[in-house]
Structure formats: C-alpha cells, structure tokens
Amino acid sequence: MKLNQVLNHTNQVERSKFVNCIDKLCQDSKDDPELAKRLDMIDGQLKSASGNEITQLFTLIKKLFRKHIQEQIAIGGPQVSLLINILSRDGNCIATVPWIETLYSKEYKIIDELSSQLINAIDENESVDFERLSRLKIYRDCMSTAFKNDLKSNRTAKISEDERSILNTLADRLGLSREEIHAIEHAIDPIPELGIDEALEYLRENGIILINRRRAEIMIADEIVETLHDVFGKELHDKYTLRILRALSDSELSNILKNHGHKFRGVDRQEKIALIVHSGLSIRTVLAIDIHADDATQNQRKDRIKQLIEDMDLNIQRIGTRLQDRIDVLINYLRNTEEDEFNILSVSGYKELLDGLSKATPNVIERIRADFEVENKETLDPERLKALSITPLDILYLYSNDEVKTIRNDMALPKRGNPRTQIIESFASANDKLIENYHLLARRDLQGLFAAGIEIKEADIGLKFEEATRSILEQLGMNVDEDLRKDINTAKDKADIIVSLENDDVIIGEAKSFKNGQFAKYSSTSRQVKSYVKRCENNGHRVAQVLIVAPEFSADFIDAADMDTEINISLLEAHGLQKILSAFKQRRNPNFSPKLLTKGGLLKADLISKSI
C-alpha cells in the first residue's frame, strides 16, 4: 500500500509519530529550496497537512529518512531487525498485531534451531579452506568483536550503525544469506523469544510503521519497505526472486542449496524453491555464482543469463555485454515492473482471474495465504490483494511451470507462447469486451450482450456495470480508491465508486443501469449519495463532486440535480463516458484531469473528448 493510502487510512493521532519524524527531518534539511517551498505551502503546519502533502515531503527527504532508519535499526537490536524482516516481506505490509506475533514465533524457532546447528558446525570444523563454514566463522568472529567492543570502554555491548554497515558488506562479500546472518547474531546477542510490543512501539515511534488502533492493524508503506530493502541490501522482493527460480533447472536449484549448506538430495522442486526464497540469499550471488558449475567460463555464465531473460519472456532490448551488466538489467527490469503489472487487469478482470483459477485449482486462495503469509481471517478480494501489493502475475507465479500450462490448456487457450501471459491476456480481453459493450450494460440489454458474445445473468448486470465503470475511470488515470470505499461503506450505505483526489478530496460515483427509457429516480438517488457524502465528511474527506453515470437522464432529473443546493452533482451518460475513454486512448499524450468531471450538471462528453 502506497504511503498516501496508508495516511488516508489512519487518523491524526495514529500517524502523529510518523509526522513528527518527517517534521524533524525537514527541520534538519531547511537549506533545500524545493523542501522549503513545500513547507511554505503548508505554513510549516505538518500536523494539519494532507496525506498527499506529507507524501510529497517524504519524497524530498527520502535520503535523510534512509539514514534515520539505518541509525534506528542499529540502536533497536536484533529483535527489531527480525521484526522488520517479517514486516517487509511480500504480503505483510498490512497485518494484525496477533498475526505478526504468530509469524514472529514461527521465525524465532527457525532461527534458534539454525543458530545452534551453525555454531556447532563452525566449532567442529577443522578445514583451513575458504569454504562455507570457514566464511561463517569469519563473519561470526567479526560480529562478536563488533558487539563486544563497547565492553572495553565500560559501555553496554551493542553493534553500532557504522559497524553494522561494515558487517552487511562483509556478509554480502562472503555470500551469506539473511537467515544465516540472523542465526549468527542470535548466538552472540540473543533475540527475545516473547514480547514484541516494545519493539513494535519502537518502530512506530521512529516512523517505520503505523498502527490503526481500532483494527489492531500494523501498516507499512511500500515506499518505506523499499527503503528498508535498500538498507539491508535486498535488491528484489521475494516474489520476483521466485519468478527467477521458477525459470531455473532442477540441477541449478540443487547447486544453490549445496553452496549454502542445505539438503538437496530427495528434495522436490517446489521445496527447493521455497527453501531458497526463505533463506534470503542475495539474488546477485545466485545469478553470478551459485547456478553455475564451478568450472563455468565467464562466457558460459553470460550466455546463461541471456537464456534466462529469454526463458522468462522479458521485454528487454539491450542486455549488455558483461555478466554484471546482464544481471543489473534483469534485476532493474523486475524492480520497475510492479506498477505496470497492476494495470494489466482492471479490478473486475482481476476478480475474473481469481474466479477462473478457483475453478481450475480449488486451493488458489489457500496457496496465496500460505505463500504470502496472509492471515486466515482476511477476505482476499482484488482490492485487498492490491493493498498487499500482490499483482495478478504474482498469483500465477505461485504455480509451477507445469501447473500453469495445465491451467492454460484447461482454459482452451493457444499452446504457443508464454502460458502466464496468455492467461492474463484472456481476462484482459474479456474485460475489454465488457467496456466495448458498456452502453448495452447500461441499458441492461441482455439480448444485445448475448449477441456480442458476453454470457451474463440479468441479476449480475448491475454489478458488471459498476465494475466496468470503475475500470474506465482507472484507464483514464483516476485513483479509484477501493480501500477508502470499504472503510466508508456500511451494510446499509454502499457507494459504488470513490475516486481519491489531492488534499484528501474525493469524487463519489454512482453507476445506475436502467432498462427502459430515461433514468428519472432523483429523490431516491439523492438520498443515497447524500448519505455517502456525510460518511466521507465524517471520515475527514471533502467531497469535491458527486458523479452519477446512467444510460440517459430525464429532463426532471437534470433540473433537480441543477437545483440541489446541498451537494454538487455531475451527470454523465454512459455512451458519453465510453466516448471520453475512446478519445483518451487515441491520443499519444492525452490531457485528462478528473476536474473535467466536476463541472456540475449534465456533462458534455463531446467537449470533454475534444479537450483531451
């Protein structure tokens, strides 16, 4: 979840520690002219600033925030480091406190057991070669020295920020995994087995996490996760590492496990991949060293990375000539792909994908929960998955290559090409077909929809019309905020669409499909939208406009909307919205702003289309 969204889902008290942290860092960097300009815009009153303004300030002080995090991790000790490792994993950016306690307990047991095994193996090792146990011993001795240095000066033993940065570099050069690093530190500075409340409060005090008290829910923004990964030297999210591992051969997976002291004989492919991902190995080390035979030449290593890029069907034009260049290109491509992946399917297309996978493999939801460590009580719909930063492709990569081919065949898709891409495109085209026939959905024209090849129950038309409307607004570049809609909606009052604008402003959208003639139910519609407006305002949001979309409006409806003094209402006919989207797609650099939909009264789609 993006920082702006996290701030919008917490009240002023809950985000106060984060704001205080940003305020302090801003005061330390007043010489920055761009930062000074931003502070002047809010008169220096950060506590009353909007989520969007705070996010803009955070972007300007990102380097200072990184240094701040580095310092606090060093002071916080091993329990804080372990908690950060858990909270920054894919799927854990939103989680309840009891669930994090469960994950912490599970992680502690693994590290405690590994710590005993490693220390015994290091102490019993008599080899003088520079092999794995010797490298672990070097790291253990260096960490022990760093920890105990303070005792010489009669100070409390701890690892300082400078010492930790050196140890991180040493671990990277020695090719150690994050799991091994935690296990060795546990042997020197034991991690507490119980009680994470103080550590969580420490993270909150220092602006690393926010806690929604009402839900007992911890939230950590995507931008902060990226900063934490940078501090710990983690170049890729685990979900992208998983994709790379899926494209490797069994012998290459065994090579990785063998090089890091893991059992690999008699271990099936899926378990090998899970072991590698969880151990937290450097993906750069895996690609440069671990997957290759010891006697592989540099050219053979370069060719293997080139083949890997082709096998993963990545659209990379220039891969470079050196081995490290090719690894850089692969890592950077995957790091920059997340935003595009969210946009490959609309919310309705994402939902159709989940439904399709549930029919093909009934355990898809359980698989998502297991691989992304999502709590059982969570409802995993597309909105929640997007909040957890889980894209449609992430879900398809939970399946092995053989499984995904079987799913493609069961869906009767062509057998040529990348099966994951084919599955995604099949749901994208189904969604496109709904938008192409949006005017038929609006008029509830069941026969017309069947003639267009869309099989749909009449009872589902209203819901599909809402989903298609959301999808069109998303394609126009508007921030359709499903999380905010969930927060505001109740069992009685359920807004169809909420679009977030700048400065905590919103547009409330209502999609009204209607079978015969012109839509004329103003009194009931106005009661609905006024209740949504009230709930939004009670939640701290200003409603800039109410947008009602319908096939057509009666003259009485238009007049009543114009004369309503309580709320600002814009009316847009369905074929008009369709026309605006068509104009948007035809322009190379479209000039569309949500403000075009806030003029009030019956909007003129022809004029809006021309202005785009």
Side-chain angles (χ1 to χ4, degrees), residues 270-306:
Q270 289 296 95
E271 195 179 343
K272 286 178 185 176
I273 290 171
L275 275 169
I276 295 166
V277 169
H278 191 271
S279 65
L281 291 169
S282 161
I283 192 61
R284 191 174 291 278
T285 302
V286 166
L287 294 173
I289 300 169
D290 293 337
I291 64 173
H292 309 284
D294 292 340
D295 58 353
T297 65
Q298 195 73 349
N299 281 337
Q300 287 173 327
R301 292 171 193 251
K302 288 192 295 182
D303 288 343
R304 180 62 188 104
I305 302 303
K306 180 183 177 183

mmCIF file of all heavy atoms in Angstrom, residues 270-306:
data_model
loop_
_atom_site.group_PDB
_atom_site.id
_atom_site.type_symbol
_atom_site.label_atom_id
_atom_site.label_comp_id
_atom_site.label_asym_id
_atom_site.label_seq_id
_atom_site.Cartn_x
_atom_site.Cartn_y
_atom_site.Cartn_z
ATOM 1 N N GLN A 270 9.514 -27.919 -5.771
ATOM 2 C CA GLN A 270 8.794 -26.859 -5.068
ATOM 3 C C GLN A 270 9.445 -26.541 -3.719
ATOM 4 O O GLN A 270 9.537 -25.389 -3.312
ATOM 5 C CB GLN A 270 7.338 -27.265 -4.854
ATOM 6 C CG GLN A 270 6.485 -27.273 -6.126
ATOM 7 C CD GLN A 270 6.349 -25.891 -6.729
ATOM 8 O OE1 GLN A 270 7.115 -25.527 -7.635
ATOM 9 N NE2 GLN A 270 5.416 -25.109 -6.240
ATOM 10 N N GLU A 271 9.882 -27.595 -3.027
ATOM 11 C CA GLU A 271 10.513 -27.391 -1.712
ATOM 12 C C GLU A 271 11.868 -26.703 -1.860
ATOM 13 O O GLU A 271 12.251 -25.871 -1.025
ATOM 14 C CB GLU A 271 10.669 -28.741 -1.006
ATOM 15 C CG GLU A 271 10.966 -28.591 0.482
ATOM 16 C CD GLU A 271 11.087 -29.929 1.192
ATOM 17 O OE1 GLU A 271 10.630 -30.951 0.638
ATOM 18 O OE2 GLU A 271 11.647 -29.940 2.304
ATOM 19 N N LYS A 272 12.594 -27.045 -2.918
ATOM 20 C CA LYS A 272 13.887 -26.384 -3.172
ATOM 21 C C LYS A 272 13.683 -24.877 -3.333
ATOM 22 O O LYS A 272 14.399 -24.065 -2.735
ATOM 23 C CB LYS A 272 14.529 -26.942 -4.452
ATOM 24 C CG LYS A 272 15.111 -28.336 -4.325
ATOM 25 C CD LYS A 272 15.661 -28.787 -5.674
ATOM 26 C CE LYS A 272 16.151 -30.227 -5.612
ATOM 27 N NZ LYS A 272 16.610 -30.720 -6.926
ATOM 28 N N ILE A 273 12.686 -24.507 -4.142
ATOM 29 C CA ILE A 273 12.406 -23.093 -4.403
ATOM 30 C C ILE A 273 12.012 -22.382 -3.105
ATOM 31 O O ILE A 273 12.490 -21.280 -2.814
ATOM 32 C CB ILE A 273 11.314 -22.952 -5.484
ATOM 33 C CG1 ILE A 273 11.865 -23.392 -6.843
ATOM 34 C CG2 ILE A 273 10.799 -21.525 -5.567
ATOM 35 C CD1 ILE A 273 10.828 -23.512 -7.942
ATOM 36 N N ALA A 274 11.143 -23.017 -2.310
ATOM 37 C CA ALA A 274 10.690 -22.417 -1.046
ATOM 38 C C ALA A 274 11.867 -22.215 -0.083
ATOM 39 O O ALA A 274 11.970 -21.169 0.582
ATOM 40 C CB ALA A 274 9.630 -23.303 -0.403
ATOM 41 N N LEU A 275 12.776 -23.191 -0.020
ATOM 42 C CA LEU A 275 13.955 -23.099 0.861
ATOM 43 C C LEU A 275 14.842 -21.925 0.466
ATOM 44 O O LEU A 275 15.317 -21.163 1.306
ATOM 45 C CB LEU A 275 14.762 -24.396 0.796
ATOM 46 C CG LEU A 275 14.340 -25.547 1.708
ATOM 47 C CD1 LEU A 275 15.073 -26.820 1.320
ATOM 48 C CD2 LEU A 275 14.627 -25.211 3.163
ATOM 49 N N ILE A 276 15.062 -21.767 -0.842
ATOM 50 C CA ILE A 276 15.945 -20.707 -1.332
ATOM 51 C C ILE A 276 15.337 -19.334 -1.062
ATOM 52 O O ILE A 276 16.020 -18.421 -0.585
ATOM 53 C CB ILE A 276 16.228 -20.897 -2.838
ATOM 54 C CG1 ILE A 276 17.019 -22.193 -3.068
ATOM 55 C CG2 ILE A 276 17.016 -19.710 -3.394
ATOM 56 C CD1 ILE A 276 17.059 -22.651 -4.517
ATOM 57 N N VAL A 277 14.039 -19.189 -1.360
ATOM 58 C CA VAL A 277 13.376 -17.895 -1.152
ATOM 59 C C VAL A 277 13.407 -17.509 0.325
ATOM 60 O O VAL A 277 13.718 -16.369 0.677
ATOM 61 C CB VAL A 277 11.916 -17.940 -1.671
ATOM 62 C CG1 VAL A 277 11.144 -16.710 -1.213
ATOM 63 C CG2 VAL A 277 11.891 -18.015 -3.191
ATOM 64 N N HIS A 278 13.089 -18.452 1.202
ATOM 65 C CA HIS A 278 13.004 -18.130 2.637
ATOM 66 C C HIS A 278 14.373 -17.844 3.250
ATOM 67 O O HIS A 278 14.479 -17.074 4.204
ATOM 68 C CB HIS A 278 12.333 -19.278 3.396
ATOM 69 C CG HIS A 278 11.989 -18.905 4.812
ATOM 70 N ND1 HIS A 278 12.865 -19.082 5.861
ATOM 71 C CD2 HIS A 278 10.879 -18.323 5.350
ATOM 72 C CE1 HIS A 278 12.310 -18.642 6.975
ATOM 73 N NE2 HIS A 278 11.109 -18.179 6.692
ATOM 74 N N SER A 279 15.421 -18.439 2.703
ATOM 75 C CA SER A 279 16.752 -18.246 3.306
ATOM 76 C C SER A 279 17.281 -16.827 3.108
ATOM 77 O O SER A 279 18.170 -16.383 3.832
ATOM 78 C CB SER A 279 17.753 -19.253 2.736
ATOM 79 O OG SER A 279 17.949 -19.015 1.353
ATOM 80 N N GLY A 280 16.725 -16.110 2.106
ATOM 81 C CA GLY A 280 17.137 -14.718 1.912
ATOM 82 C C GLY A 280 18.498 -14.561 1.289
ATOM 83 O O GLY A 280 19.272 -13.673 1.665
ATOM 84 N N LEU A 281 18.806 -15.407 0.318
ATOM 85 C CA LEU A 281 20.092 -15.294 -0.379
ATOM 86 C C LEU A 281 20.108 -14.067 -1.282
ATOM 87 O O LEU A 281 19.064 -13.638 -1.792
ATOM 88 C CB LEU A 281 20.335 -16.548 -1.233
ATOM 89 C CG LEU A 281 20.588 -17.853 -0.476
ATOM 90 C CD1 LEU A 281 20.534 -19.028 -1.424
ATOM 91 C CD2 LEU A 281 21.933 -17.802 0.223
ATOM 92 N N SER A 282 21.276 -13.528 -1.503
ATOM 93 C CA SER A 282 21.431 -12.423 -2.445
ATOM 94 C C SER A 282 21.179 -12.947 -3.856
ATOM 95 O O SER A 282 21.852 -13.875 -4.307
ATOM 96 C CB SER A 282 22.845 -11.842 -2.358
ATOM 97 O OG SER A 282 23.150 -11.108 -3.518
ATOM 98 N N ILE A 283 20.218 -12.370 -4.552
ATOM 99 C CA ILE A 283 19.897 -12.836 -5.905
ATOM 100 C C ILE A 283 21.063 -12.590 -6.850
ATOM 101 O O ILE A 283 21.286 -13.342 -7.808
ATOM 102 C CB ILE A 283 18.601 -12.165 -6.433
ATOM 103 C CG1 ILE A 283 18.111 -12.872 -7.705
ATOM 104 C CG2 ILE A 283 18.795 -10.680 -6.657
ATOM 105 C CD1 ILE A 283 17.767 -14.323 -7.527
ATOM 106 N N ARG A 284 21.842 -11.567 -6.564
ATOM 107 C CA ARG A 284 23.015 -11.288 -7.403
ATOM 108 C C ARG A 284 24.054 -12.410 -7.277
ATOM 109 O O ARG A 284 24.631 -12.853 -8.279
ATOM 110 C CB ARG A 284 23.634 -9.945 -7.000
ATOM 111 C CG ARG A 284 24.684 -9.448 -7.963
ATOM 112 C CD ARG A 284 25.141 -8.054 -7.561
ATOM 113 N NE ARG A 284 24.099 -7.068 -7.777
ATOM 114 C CZ ARG A 284 23.847 -6.504 -8.956
ATOM 115 N NH1 ARG A 284 24.569 -6.836 -10.006
ATOM 116 N NH2 ARG A 284 22.899 -5.601 -9.069
ATOM 117 N N THR A 285 24.265 -12.895 -6.051
ATOM 118 C CA THR A 285 25.192 -14.003 -5.830
ATOM 119 C C THR A 285 24.677 -15.277 -6.500
ATOM 120 O O THR A 285 25.441 -16.037 -7.102
ATOM 121 C CB THR A 285 25.377 -14.246 -4.313
ATOM 122 O OG1 THR A 285 25.865 -13.059 -3.711
ATOM 123 C CG2 THR A 285 26.356 -15.382 -4.053
ATOM 124 N N VAL A 286 23.367 -15.492 -6.397
ATOM 125 C CA VAL A 286 22.750 -16.673 -7.023
ATOM 126 C C VAL A 286 22.995 -16.665 -8.526
ATOM 127 O O VAL A 286 23.403 -17.688 -9.107
ATOM 128 C CB VAL A 286 21.229 -16.704 -6.729
ATOM 129 C CG1 VAL A 286 20.511 -17.702 -7.632
ATOM 130 C CG2 VAL A 286 20.978 -17.051 -5.273
ATOM 131 N N LEU A 287 22.783 -15.506 -9.166
ATOM 132 C CA LEU A 287 22.896 -15.425 -10.628
ATOM 133 C C LEU A 287 24.353 -15.400 -11.096
ATOM 134 O O LEU A 287 24.661 -15.909 -12.182
ATOM 135 C CB LEU A 287 22.176 -14.168 -11.139
ATOM 136 C CG LEU A 287 20.654 -14.144 -10.956
ATOM 137 C CD1 LEU A 287 20.081 -12.789 -11.350
ATOM 138 C CD2 LEU A 287 19.999 -15.247 -11.779
ATOM 139 N N ALA A 288 25.232 -14.820 -10.303
ATOM 140 C CA ALA A 288 26.634 -14.695 -10.726
ATOM 141 C C ALA A 288 27.442 -15.948 -10.430
ATOM 142 O O ALA A 288 28.358 -16.297 -11.190
ATOM 143 C CB ALA A 288 27.275 -13.493 -10.046
ATOM 144 N N ILE A 289 27.078 -16.662 -9.330
ATOM 145 C CA ILE A 289 27.931 -17.769 -8.870
ATOM 146 C C ILE A 289 27.162 -19.077 -8.717
ATOM 147 O O ILE A 289 27.512 -20.098 -9.315
ATOM 148 C CB ILE A 289 28.605 -17.393 -7.531
ATOM 149 C CG1 ILE A 289 29.471 -16.147 -7.684
ATOM 150 C CG2 ILE A 289 29.421 -18.571 -6.985
ATOM 151 C CD1 ILE A 289 29.957 -15.542 -6.394
ATOM 152 N N ASP A 290 26.103 -19.052 -7.914
ATOM 153 C CA ASP A 290 25.516 -20.304 -7.417
ATOM 154 C C ASP A 290 24.907 -21.208 -8.479
ATOM 155 O O ASP A 290 24.934 -22.430 -8.341
ATOM 156 C CB ASP A 290 24.453 -19.995 -6.347
ATOM 157 C CG ASP A 290 25.058 -19.401 -5.094
ATOM 158 O OD1 ASP A 290 26.256 -19.627 -4.856
ATOM 159 O OD2 ASP A 290 24.342 -18.698 -4.356
ATOM 160 N N ILE A 291 24.302 -20.639 -9.527
ATOM 161 C CA ILE A 291 23.628 -21.502 -10.509
ATOM 162 C C ILE A 291 24.603 -22.145 -11.488
ATOM 163 O O ILE A 291 24.221 -23.052 -12.234
ATOM 164 C CB ILE A 291 22.540 -20.720 -11.295
ATOM 165 C CG1 ILE A 291 23.163 -19.597 -12.138
ATOM 166 C CG2 ILE A 291 21.478 -20.182 -10.371
ATOM 167 C CD1 ILE A 291 22.162 -18.900 -13.069
ATOM 168 N N HIS A 292 25.843 -21.688 -11.489
ATOM 169 C CA HIS A 292 26.810 -22.172 -12.485
ATOM 170 C C HIS A 292 27.705 -23.274 -11.904
ATOM 171 O O HIS A 292 27.934 -23.333 -10.699
ATOM 172 C CB HIS A 292 27.695 -21.019 -12.972
ATOM 173 C CG HIS A 292 26.924 -19.817 -13.419
ATOM 174 N ND1 HIS A 292 26.263 -19.750 -14.627
ATOM 175 C CD2 HIS A 292 26.690 -18.619 -12.798
ATOM 176 C CE1 HIS A 292 25.668 -18.573 -14.741
ATOM 177 N NE2 HIS A 292 25.909 -17.866 -13.645
ATOM 178 N N ALA A 293 28.222 -24.109 -12.791
ATOM 179 C CA ALA A 293 29.228 -25.096 -12.380
ATOM 180 C C ALA A 293 30.495 -24.354 -11.985
ATOM 181 O O ALA A 293 30.762 -23.245 -12.464
ATOM 182 C CB ALA A 293 29.510 -26.057 -13.529
ATOM 183 N N ASP A 294 31.286 -24.969 -11.087
ATOM 184 C CA ASP A 294 32.500 -24.307 -10.593
ATOM 185 C C ASP A 294 33.470 -23.953 -11.717
ATOM 186 O O ASP A 294 34.182 -22.949 -11.635
ATOM 187 C CB ASP A 294 33.205 -25.210 -9.575
ATOM 188 C CG ASP A 294 32.395 -25.361 -8.297
ATOM 189 O OD1 ASP A 294 31.518 -24.499 -8.063
ATOM 190 O OD2 ASP A 294 32.606 -26.343 -7.559
ATOM 191 N N ASP A 295 33.490 -24.798 -12.760
ATOM 192 C CA ASP A 295 34.451 -24.571 -13.845
ATOM 193 C C ASP A 295 33.837 -23.812 -15.025
ATOM 194 O O ASP A 295 34.439 -23.738 -16.103
ATOM 195 C CB ASP A 295 35.024 -25.909 -14.334
ATOM 196 C CG ASP A 295 33.932 -26.858 -14.825
ATOM 197 O OD1 ASP A 295 32.741 -26.527 -14.657
ATOM 198 O OD2 ASP A 295 34.276 -27.932 -15.374
ATOM 199 N N ALA A 296 32.645 -23.232 -14.842
ATOM 200 C CA ALA A 296 31.989 -22.495 -15.934
ATOM 201 C C ALA A 296 32.802 -21.251 -16.285
ATOM 202 O O ALA A 296 33.272 -20.526 -15.407
ATOM 203 C CB ALA A 296 30.579 -22.092 -15.533
ATOM 204 N N THR A 297 32.967 -20.986 -17.589
ATOM 205 C CA THR A 297 33.705 -19.799 -18.030
ATOM 206 C C THR A 297 32.810 -18.566 -17.918
ATOM 207 O O THR A 297 31.588 -18.674 -17.765
ATOM 208 C CB THR A 297 34.162 -19.954 -19.489
ATOM 209 O OG1 THR A 297 32.987 -20.003 -20.334
ATOM 210 C CG2 THR A 297 34.981 -21.225 -19.685
ATOM 211 N N GLN A 298 33.435 -17.407 -18.049
ATOM 212 C CA GLN A 298 32.667 -16.160 -17.980
ATOM 213 C C GLN A 298 31.653 -16.087 -19.124
ATOM 214 O O GLN A 298 30.516 -15.621 -18.924
ATOM 215 C CB GLN A 298 33.632 -14.961 -18.039
ATOM 216 C CG GLN A 298 33.013 -13.635 -17.632
ATOM 217 C CD GLN A 298 32.777 -13.527 -16.129
ATOM 218 O OE1 GLN A 298 32.885 -14.503 -15.406
ATOM 219 N NE2 GLN A 298 32.454 -12.330 -15.664
ATOM 220 N N ASN A 299 32.050 -16.539 -20.304
ATOM 221 C CA ASN A 299 31.133 -16.510 -21.450
ATOM 222 C C ASN A 299 29.940 -17.431 -21.222
ATOM 223 O O ASN A 299 28.813 -17.099 -21.588
ATOM 224 C CB ASN A 299 31.861 -16.916 -22.734
ATOM 225 C CG ASN A 299 32.690 -15.769 -23.298
ATOM 226 O OD1 ASN A 299 32.419 -14.603 -23.017
ATOM 227 N ND2 ASN A 299 33.706 -16.099 -24.091
ATOM 228 N N GLN A 300 30.182 -18.594 -20.620
ATOM 229 C CA GLN A 300 29.082 -19.524 -20.322
ATOM 230 C C GLN A 300 28.109 -18.912 -19.307
ATOM 231 O O GLN A 300 26.894 -19.066 -19.429
ATOM 232 C CB GLN A 300 29.650 -20.844 -19.785
ATOM 233 C CG GLN A 300 30.320 -21.696 -20.846
ATOM 234 C CD GLN A 300 31.027 -22.912 -20.258
ATOM 235 O OE1 GLN A 300 31.553 -22.869 -19.133
ATOM 236 N NE2 GLN A 300 31.051 -24.007 -21.011
ATOM 237 N N ARG A 301 28.644 -18.204 -18.330
ATOM 238 C CA ARG A 301 27.800 -17.548 -17.320
ATOM 239 C C ARG A 301 26.955 -16.438 -17.964
ATOM 240 O O ARG A 301 25.764 -16.287 -17.668
ATOM 241 C CB ARG A 301 28.655 -16.971 -16.186
ATOM 242 C CG ARG A 301 29.328 -18.051 -15.344
ATOM 243 C CD ARG A 301 30.348 -17.462 -14.375
ATOM 244 N NE ARG A 301 31.188 -18.519 -13.821
ATOM 245 C CZ ARG A 301 31.134 -18.952 -12.561
ATOM 246 N NH1 ARG A 301 30.284 -18.407 -11.708
ATOM 247 N NH2 ARG A 301 31.924 -19.922 -12.146
ATOM 248 N N LYS A 302 27.585 -15.654 -18.865
ATOM 249 C CA LYS A 302 26.854 -14.579 -19.563
ATOM 250 C C LYS A 302 25.742 -15.162 -20.434
ATOM 251 O O LYS A 302 24.622 -14.643 -20.456
ATOM 252 C CB LYS A 302 27.823 -13.759 -20.422
ATOM 253 C CG LYS A 302 28.748 -12.860 -19.613
ATOM 254 C CD LYS A 302 29.473 -11.858 -20.489
ATOM 255 C CE LYS A 302 30.417 -12.532 -21.453
ATOM 256 N NZ LYS A 302 31.164 -11.559 -22.285
ATOM 257 N N ASP A 303 26.071 -16.243 -21.151
ATOM 258 C CA ASP A 303 25.081 -16.868 -22.032
ATOM 259 C C ASP A 303 23.897 -17.419 -21.237
ATOM 260 O O ASP A 303 22.756 -17.390 -21.701
ATOM 261 C CB ASP A 303 25.722 -17.989 -22.851
ATOM 262 C CG ASP A 303 26.657 -17.455 -23.932
ATOM 263 O OD1 ASP A 303 26.563 -16.247 -24.248
ATOM 264 O OD2 ASP A 303 27.482 -18.233 -24.450
ATOM 265 N N ARG A 304 24.185 -17.931 -20.030
ATOM 266 C CA ARG A 304 23.100 -18.485 -19.203
ATOM 267 C C ARG A 304 22.136 -17.384 -18.763
ATOM 268 O O ARG A 304 20.908 -17.592 -18.749
ATOM 269 C CB ARG A 304 23.680 -19.196 -17.965
ATOM 270 C CG ARG A 304 22.601 -19.786 -17.057
ATOM 271 C CD ARG A 304 21.797 -20.851 -17.761
ATOM 272 N NE ARG A 304 20.639 -21.307 -17.008
ATOM 273 C CZ ARG A 304 19.381 -20.948 -17.278
ATOM 274 N NH1 ARG A 304 19.117 -20.130 -18.293
ATOM 275 N NH2 ARG A 304 18.381 -21.440 -16.562
ATOM 276 N N ILE A 305 22.658 -16.209 -18.417
ATOM 277 C CA ILE A 305 21.788 -15.097 -18.019
ATOM 278 C C ILE A 305 20.972 -14.614 -19.217
ATOM 279 O O ILE A 305 19.776 -14.303 -19.080
ATOM 280 C CB ILE A 305 22.603 -13.931 -17.411
ATOM 281 C CG1 ILE A 305 23.406 -14.406 -16.182
ATOM 282 C CG2 ILE A 305 21.677 -12.784 -17.010
ATOM 283 C CD1 ILE A 305 22.573 -15.028 -15.087
ATOM 284 N N LYS A 306 21.588 -14.588 -20.394
ATOM 285 C CA LYS A 306 20.863 -14.216 -21.611
ATOM 286 C C LYS A 306 19.710 -15.192 -21.869
ATOM 287 O O LYS A 306 18.585 -14.786 -22.164
ATOM 288 C CB LYS A 306 21.823 -14.218 -22.808
ATOM 289 C CG LYS A 306 21.159 -13.840 -24.119
ATOM 290 C CD LYS A 306 22.137 -13.930 -25.281
ATOM 291 C CE LYS A 306 21.428 -13.616 -26.596
ATOM 292 N NZ LYS A 306 22.343 -13.778 -27.760
#
